[in-house]
Amino acid sequence: MLYSEPDPKYVDVIVRRYIAHVGSDSDVYLVRDGKQYSYQEVVAEPELENA
């Protein structure tokens, strides 16, 4: 099975549209290396992009 990771700019748009649709970012989070980050942590911490 081939899998292509989506470009980060498209993911950003999808996440922003989802948040606009549901009206809150309280249930939006990123899981990286087994650790969960809230959406607010991710947008506040640009170094997570390069982790």
Side-chain angles (χ1 to χ4, degrees):
M1 174 183 215
L2 294 175
Y3 173 74
S4 177
E5 190 168 316
D7 190 306
K9 65 183 173 188
Y10 296 115
V11 175
D12 288 344
V13 170
I14 292 165
V15 170
R16 285 190 208 121
R17 287 180 181 174
Y18 174 78
I19 291 169
H21 176 74
V22 298
S24 172
D25 64 7
S26 63
D27 290 329
V28 178
Y29 57 89
L30 164 74
V31 176
R32 180 174 284 161
D33 298 326
K35 186 169 180 190
Q36 183 172 312
Y37 302 91
S38 72
Y39 178 74
Q40 290 302 317
E41 287 178 291
V42 174
V43 296
E45 302 278 343
E47 67 271 5
L48 287 177
E49 289 181 19
N50 300 320

